[in-house]
Amino acid sequence: MQAPQNPEEKGKAENMLSGALKSLFAVSENYPDLKANENFLNLQNELTDTENKIQASRRFFNSTVKDYNIKIQFFPNNIIASMLKMERKDFFEIENKEEKENISVKF
Amino acid sequence: MASIYKHRDQNTIKSYVLVFVFALLVVFVGGLLSHYLDSYFFLFFAVALAVFFFTISFFGSGKIVLKMAHAKKANRKENIELIRMLENLSITAGLPTPELYIINDDAPNAFATGKTQKNSVVAVTTGLIKILDKNEMEGVLAHELAHIGNRDVLLMTIVFGLAGVIAILADLAFRFIFFGGGDNKNGILIAIVGVIAVSILASVSSAVIKAAISQKREYVADATACLLTRYPEGLCGALRKISQSHNTLKHKSHGSAFFFINDPFLSIKKKKKPGIFDRIFSTHPPIEKRIKALIG
């Protein structure tokens, strides 16, 4: 499996990761001994933190892209930008609509 | 969020204008003193001293500040949640994660220090950890990160350097009149009055400008923090809780290298409402104004 190159591929990879994690947590509900295990709890925390870090990176990327897209529109930056062929970049989008909904925990 | 962008940009511009005015004031004071004392030494000295101060303080260390506050470095075993919070906020801000230090003190407060973004430190008190919830703590950490990201420590070092120059100039001018001076006996009275007036005016306006710049930077940091967390209610809740606390920090100083999130010298017990005197000379804006600027 090759490392993703452009933002679109990276977005897909990240969505696959979140999907896999959701399945992992859902399946572990059926194994109460596993759920209570300290190592597994640590693993869950680490995985959740990794997801949060990825999300933080995505927010940083998007806010930088937004600032960049705005900046290259105004004088005198717009002249320099068109000279150097700098274009508007795309944001990281969330593909899956389910991702945007809050995750509900039921017992 | 549009008004928060505007709030941040306006205050950024205001703070730079104030620094420029301050620099002009230093030159002006040097020039006036030179005029009254008939010696251009003062003007040259003013500029040279300012450059000297800036160079020296730039190479100083920020770790002394931590020792004065009795701060201990946080470790992953005990403070993992806080460290993770700080790491994730730093990623969102595009900054290297600062080191986290804990201060054992019941007064809720936090500060950031560090002249370069790579060597920065954020410290929080145990009192703060006790009373804030997750969103509020995120707001506070984001505020401190904002100070680091906006290079406020650097800016305030310059400002304090300028204030120090004015203080030394005033002092020198005094000594020059009484112990040095030329043969001009007629002009000596004018010189004394002139120097006293200039010294007093300079000291007062230097304190006012210094406070004004510091307050503007606090507004900028608040705005930047809310743009980081996208949740202004978090920081506002934290500010409210901090302002209602009755504790004051045990170890505090007027040192220039760090930014507490709220004025550590403001005592709640004595005053009911900060008067005009406090508002002009205080390093932090009043909390109600800060909250109002963020959530209206």
Side-chain angles (χ1 to χ4, degrees):
Chain A
M1 197 147 109
Q2 222 190 22
Q5 300 306 316
N6 55 42
E8 204 186 297
E9 281 178 25
K10 284 181 180 165
K12 271 200 197 136
E14 185 194 337
N15 290 331
M16 282 200 299
L17 173 66
S18 325
L21 284 178
K22 265 209 293 202
S23 312
L24 173 66
F25 291 154
V27 167
S28 73
E29 295 292 320
N30 291 331
Y31 298 90
D33 284 337
L34 178 63
K35 254 186 11 177
N37 183 298
E38 193 186 318
N39 286 333
F40 187 74
L41 285 172
N42 285 338
L43 175 65
Q44 274 193 315
N45 286 334
E46 287 285 338
L47 287 172
T48 311
D49 183 53
T50 306
E51 266 215 298
N52 288 340
K53 285 189 157 60
I54 295 178
Q55 203 187 63
S57 305
R58 178 202 280 165
R59 276 158 68 188
F60 172 59
F61 180 84
N62 281 348
S63 77
T64 310
V65 164
K66 185 164 74 172
D67 288 342
Y68 169 79
N69 284 344
I70 293 176
K71 249 191 174 163
I72 59 174
Q73 288 180 25
F74 286 100
F75 184 83
N77 300 322
N78 54 359
I79 301 180
I80 302 176
S82 57
M83 276 188 352
L84 296 174
K85 300 238 186 338
M86 295 167 113
E87 299 169 337
R88 289 177 64 102
K89 305 259 183 199
D90 295 319
F91 296 122
F92 252 138
E93 302 274 310
I94 302 183
E95 245 179 38
N96 215 342
K97 267 200 200 153
E98 288 175 22
E99 297 271 329
K100 284 194 179 170
E101 293 169 11
N102 284 329
I103 300 177
S104 61
V105 180
K106 291 181 202 154
F107 286 99
Chain B
M1 282 284 155
S3 63
I4 292 198
Y5 280 111
K6 205 168 113 189
H7 174 64
R8 177 195 67 182
D9 293 339
Q10 276 177 349
N11 278 299
T12 306
I13 294 177
K14 280 184 200 169
S15 61
Y16 288 145
V17 165
L18 282 170
V19 171
F20 182 66
V21 165
F22 205 5
L24 280 183
L25 181 70
V26 170
V27 172
F28 185 61
V29 168
L32 267 182
L33 290 176
S34 300
H35 169 75
Y36 280 125
L37 299 170
D38 249 344
S39 157
Y40 275 100
F41 166 74
F42 281 94
L43 187 54
F44 290 133
F45 187 67
V47 176
L49 197 61
V51 173
F52 178 67
F53 268 5
F54 178 59
T55 320
I56 288 251
S57 50
F58 192 75
F59 290 108
S61 158
K63 301 288 179 171
I64 307 173
V65 156
L66 291 169
K67 290 218 183 96
M68 289 200 309
H70 292 64
K72 278 198 302 201
K73 191 164 174 184
N75 56 40
R76 284 194 95 87
K77 286 217 180 98
E78 290 168 12
N79 313 106
I80 182 73
E81 266 202 41
L82 270 181
I83 293 183
R84 276 195 182 135
M85 223 187 261
L86 189 60
E87 279 175 353
N88 296 352
L89 282 171
S90 310
I91 296 177
T92 312
L95 290 170
T97 309
E99 291 184 330
L100 182 66
Y101 276 73
I102 313 275
I103 301 173
N104 197 359
D105 194 318
D106 276 331
N109 219 323
F111 70 75
T113 180
K115 300 221 174 52
T116 63
Q117 291 177 347
K118 280 192 208 138
N119 294 330
S120 297
V121 166
V122 169
V124 295
T125 59
T126 48
L128 192 71
I129 299 176
K130 262 187 231 163
I131 64 174
L132 295 187
D133 66 34
K134 188 163 173 279
N135 286 324
E136 291 162 348
M137 182 56 92
E138 265 191 356
V140 169
L141 291 179
H143 174 102
E144 300 306 329
L145 268 177
H147 275 312
I148 296 174
N150 294 334
R151 299 175 211 270
D152 281 340
V153 179
L154 198 60
L155 185 76
M156 290 313 287
T157 306
I158 298 176
V159 168
F160 271 75
L162 289 173
V165 168
I166 289 194
I168 292 194
L169 278 183
D171 187 61
L172 254 167
F174 253 66
R175 294 169 196 278
F176 193 76
I177 303 178
F178 290 116
F179 299 115
D183 308 314
N184 192 354
K185 293 281 168 65
N186 287 337
I188 198 114
L189 188 60
I190 301 178
I192 292 181
V193 171
V195 166
I196 292 181
V198 168
S199 301
I200 293 182
L201 274 174
S203 306
V204 169
S205 40
S206 130
V208 168
I209 294 182
K210 191 170 74 179
I213 296 178
S214 171
Q215 288 192 11
K216 295 285 173 280
R217 295 315 285 187
E218 288 299 318
Y219 281 128
V220 172
D222 282 343
T224 310
C226 290
L227 290 174
L228 267 184
T229 60
R230 298 277 155 182
Y231 189 63
E233 289 81 359
L235 179 58
C236 293
L239 287 175
R240 239 176 252 126
K241 279 189 182 168
I242 293 175
S243 71
Q244 284 162 1
S245 152
H246 290 290
N247 290 317
T248 51
L249 273 176
K250 281 187 287 219
H251 308 281
K252 54 203 177 201
S253 80
H254 283 288
S256 60
F258 45 89
F259 284 90
F260 287 98
I261 191 158
N262 194 20
D263 194 344
F265 289 95
L266 189 66
S267 158
I268 305 285
K269 291 174 203 162
K270 282 187 200 164
K271 302 157 192 155
K272 281 172 223 156
K273 223 182 172 193
I276 287 232
F277 204 71
D278 296 316
R279 278 224 305 270
I280 302 182
F281 290 106
S282 161
T283 48
H284 287 75
I287 295 234
E288 312 84 51
K289 271 185 114 182
R290 290 170 76 176
I291 295 181
K292 194 160 165 227
L294 294 177
I295 56 181

